[in-house]
Amino acid sequence: MNIWEIIIISLIKIVIALVAMLLTVAYLVYFERKISAWVQNRVGPNRVGPLGLLQPFADVFKLLLKEDIVPTASNKVLHTLAPFIAVFVGFATYAVIPIGPPIELFGYKINLFMADVNIGILYVLALTSLGVYGITFAGWSSGSKYSLLGGIRSSAQMISYEVSMGFSIAGVLLLSQSLSPVQIVAAQYGWMWNAIVQPIGFITFVVSAFAETNRLPFDLPEAEPELVGGYHTEYSSFKFAGFFLAEYANMIIASAMIVTLYLGGWQVPYIDKLGLGVTATTLIQIASFFVKSAAILFFFIWVRWSLPRFRYDQLMSLGWKVMFPLALINIVWVAALIMIFHL
Amino acid sequence: MSVKKREKDLSILGKLYIPEIAKGMALTLKNMFRPNVTLQYPEVKFEPPASYRGRPVLVQEKNGVERCVACGLCSRVCPALAIEVQAGETSAEKERYPEKFEINMLRCIFCGFCEEVCPEEAIVMSKDYELVFQKRSDAIYGKDKLLVPVDNLRDRLEFLRRFK
């Protein structure tokens, strides 16, 4: 392949991934509303289009037509920059996650991820930590006490949960001996899923992922009853839509990361024993990635509509006194497994 | 010195939270498959029970005459001052009738005092809850809008006789 072919293939992949991401975010919002309705014995959106399927687009058009309000007391530059940081982080992170095995298409060998970064997991961790700047900037630059409290909570929360998240990932890295997501998926061949091998690490990672994405048991940065809207109190129109988009994009990334690190990525156990053709196997593997991600996303939404919010001090003590030691125990457990079974 | 065990103190299992979280999640999952309670409003309308206090109406007898004798008690008791009655004389047995009977539906608070105080069972609360006006003057209901045939109010009259 010459350089132009590589560039064109990459561009096509980027466009497909972006469009897919935006559509998934739109319908994630739709399903969030639907599932919340089902949990509360309601019907949910069903007026716009058949079964309310056009509701997300109606929401977006409504947001775009709203007036963009910038508070007088705000720092205008950072106030504008903050939603861009949030959206950029939300979309750039997806580049390294493989959704399937390499495929042959029109004589080209195509990898089903945008970039094979050999330190991909580090890249994801770095970018998601960057996401906190979007929220903190938004909180600080709005010039409102509610926003500021939301922003501060967000950074404090991020610090407490990034640690246990990093340590739970360390367990995965010990087993796969690589930081590349492709290698990590390959290491979970058959039933060697990390969720089965190291269940404690799985739980700490999932809980930390909830905290990282500001989802409900830990959505303190935007706690409505106490902080009005939290960090995005002073945002409206498209900038608000940016934060909304980023929140759901982060959810998708978190679920894709959980699947990649702990649920075997696109691997389906014993699929090579079924004797299917190459095409069928590949399609099933890609589908399995999406099914697993969808299940995790459903779990995210399900938890949101079941559990109440943690108090601020409870959140901190859970992060430092429970999750952090558990993640350390997990590393010892994995190390012991490697010592005993030479995995 | 012993520490008294309080009801809110949790056992070890309770402190783990995990069984309680699982219980909560199971409950929400179960609710996802229950039939929902929503009425699709403009298509399906809520049919209120007889005890419902909708907009107050005047009972119209079968011969087309209102029961009201224009005693003015409803107007006196109305806490929102929504009712205006002007009495007139008639040659019928009841001798008095309301020449003008107006309820300002922007003032009415649906308390039902007018119905309670009425000695003739002439003003009752109906099941009508869809009240929309384009102008303030539209909200003042005269006799033309207030009179409802007695047959449509059987439910409510029955209810009043049993429970009032």
Side-chain angles (χ1 to χ4, degrees):
Chain A
M1 279 197 281
N2 63 33
I3 186 77
W4 289 109
E5 281 173 341
I6 293 173
I7 288 175
I8 287 168
I9 289 173
S10 299
L11 279 178
I12 291 171
K13 281 198 282 196
I14 288 169
V15 168
I16 291 175
L18 266 182
V19 171
M21 195 81 171
L22 281 169
L23 277 178
T24 325
V25 167
Y27 281 97
L28 200 56
V29 178
Y30 169 78
F31 277 106
E32 173 107 52
R33 294 175 66 177
K34 271 289 187 195
I35 291 170
S36 79
W38 292 334
V39 167
Q40 298 163 355
N41 298 343
R42 293 185 288 113
V43 176
N46 66 347
R47 295 282 152 172
V48 192
L51 296 173
L53 279 173
L54 296 177
Q55 184 70 40
F57 299 101
D59 289 348
V60 168
F61 285 128
K62 191 206 85 173
L63 272 176
L64 291 185
L65 294 173
K66 292 263 169 184
E67 185 191 352
D68 183 20
I69 298 164
V70 183
T72 327
S74 68
N75 180 327
K76 308 257 176 332
V77 179
L78 286 184
H79 190 265
T80 316
L81 189 64
F84 285 99
I85 296 177
V87 172
F88 165 74
V89 168
F91 285 102
T93 318
Y94 206 77
V96 293
I97 292 167
I99 61 162
I103 53 170
E104 294 263 351
L105 208 63
F106 309 121
Y108 294 108
K109 190 164 175 290
I110 295 173
N111 292 317
L112 290 182
F113 45 81
M114 268 155 271
D116 184 11
V117 187
N118 57 359
I119 50 161
I121 297 301
L122 211 57
Y123 168 82
V124 172
L125 278 182
L127 271 184
T128 46
S129 314
L130 215 60
V132 76
Y133 281 103
I135 295 174
T136 315
F137 281 176
W140 180 79
S141 67
S142 294
S144 142
K145 60 191 170 202
Y146 300 117
S147 307
L148 184 61
L149 283 170
I152 291 171
R153 282 181 175 195
S154 170
S155 46
Q157 181 175 326
M158 208 56 98
I159 291 166
S160 0
Y161 281 87
E162 202 101 281
V163 178
S164 58
M165 192 180 211
F167 275 101
S168 14
I169 290 178
V172 175
L173 301 184
L174 282 179
L175 275 180
S176 62
Q177 298 178 355
S178 165
L179 270 163
S180 149
V182 182
Q183 296 290 324
I184 289 173
V185 171
Q188 302 180 57
Y189 179 76
W191 275 114
M192 286 296 287
W193 289 5
N194 281 325
I196 298 164
V197 180
Q198 36 181 325
I200 302 172
F202 178 59
I203 291 168
T204 51
F205 186 83
V206 170
V207 173
S208 308
F210 272 90
E212 284 273 318
T213 50
N214 300 326
R215 288 294 294 182
L216 198 72
F218 310 109
D219 72 336
L220 289 152
E222 45 188 303
E224 294 94 352
E226 315 144 41
L227 295 183
V228 191
Y231 62 90
H232 55 52
T233 308
E234 303 294 344
Y235 281 88
S236 58
S237 185
F238 198 61
K239 289 179 193 162
F240 174 75
F243 281 118
F244 212 65
L245 203 72
E247 190 192 326
Y248 283 90
N250 281 333
M251 258 173 86
I252 295 171
I253 284 155
S255 68
M257 281 292 284
I258 291 171
V259 171
T260 309
L261 291 175
Y262 288 95
L263 298 175
W266 43 264
Q267 304 255 27
V268 182
Y270 306 123
I271 193 167
D272 41 2
K273 301 234 169 72
L274 290 175
L276 295 165
V278 179
T279 319
T281 312
T282 311
L283 283 178
I284 289 173
Q285 282 172 332
I286 293 172
S288 88
F289 178 83
F290 287 114
V291 168
K292 286 173 191 170
S293 300
I296 298 288
L297 285 173
F298 173 76
F299 183 69
F300 266 88
I301 297 172
W302 180 21
V303 165
R304 170 164 183 190
W305 295 99
S306 306
L307 302 183
R309 180 179 300 127
F310 274 76
R311 216 170 53 212
Y312 193 48
D313 60 314
Q314 291 172 332
L315 174 97
M316 293 310 225
S317 74
L318 183 75
W320 288 109
K321 294 186 196 158
V322 182
M323 287 303 151
F324 184 43
L326 275 179
L328 288 178
I329 289 171
N330 180 57
I331 291 186
V332 175
W333 162 257
V334 175
L337 282 183
I338 292 172
M339 281 283 285
I340 297 164
F341 297 108
H342 305 287
L343 287 173
Chain B
M1 202 173 84
S2 69
V3 182
K4 212 177 135 195
K5 188 160 168 30
R6 293 168 301 175
E7 209 177 309
K8 69 173 187 180
D9 287 339
L10 299 171
S11 61
I12 304 240
L13 211 61
K15 272 184 190 152
L16 264 179
Y17 289 121
I18 293 182
E20 296 302 316
I21 287 174
K23 257 193 238 170
M25 303 277 285
L27 183 77
T28 45
L29 190 68
K30 201 168 72 188
N31 267 286
M32 274 183 226
F33 301 101
R34 284 211 186 130
N36 55 51
V37 293
T38 311
L39 286 177
Q40 302 284 328
Y41 166 63
E43 292 94 37
V44 185
K45 279 182 184 154
F46 167 57
E47 180 59 35
S51 58
Y52 189 83
R53 291 203 302 255
R55 85 179 166 98
V57 295
L58 290 174
V59 181
Q60 188 179 33
E61 293 289 10
K62 289 219 172 66
N63 55 11
V65 185
E66 68 285 306
R67 271 187 190 173
C68 180
V69 294
C71 63
L73 278 175
C74 48
S75 171
R76 272 306 282 275
V77 82
C78 182
L81 306 179
I83 305 178
E84 191 187 341
V85 192
Q86 261 173 32
E89 283 189 30
T90 169
S91 53
E93 192 190 352
K94 63 179 183 175
E95 291 182 4
R96 281 158 60 89
Y97 81 104
E99 219 166 45
K100 174 177 155 198
F101 197 109
E102 281 182 356
I103 300 182
N104 187 338
M105 292 313 297
L106 290 173
R107 303 204 71 155
C108 179
I109 55 169
F110 303 90
C111 61
F113 282 7
C114 47
E115 174 191 54
E116 266 178 54
V117 83
C118 185
E120 301 285 327
E121 282 190 340
I123 183 165
V124 295
M125 308 304 277
S126 67
K127 291 181 180 180
D128 195 357
Y129 53 85
E130 289 172 317
L131 296 164
V132 183
F133 325 112
Q134 304 269 325
K135 299 198 290 274
R136 278 168 187 244
S137 52
D138 284 354
I140 300 168
Y141 281 16
K143 270 167 77 174
D144 55 324
K145 283 183 186 157
L146 289 174
L147 284 172
V148 172
V150 66
D151 288 332
N152 299 358
L153 300 166
R154 285 273 172 240
D155 264 13
R156 184 67 184 181
L157 290 168
E158 184 70 20
F159 170 80
L160 290 173
R161 263 172 223 149
R162 282 180 61 200
F163 298 107
K164 193 170 122 183

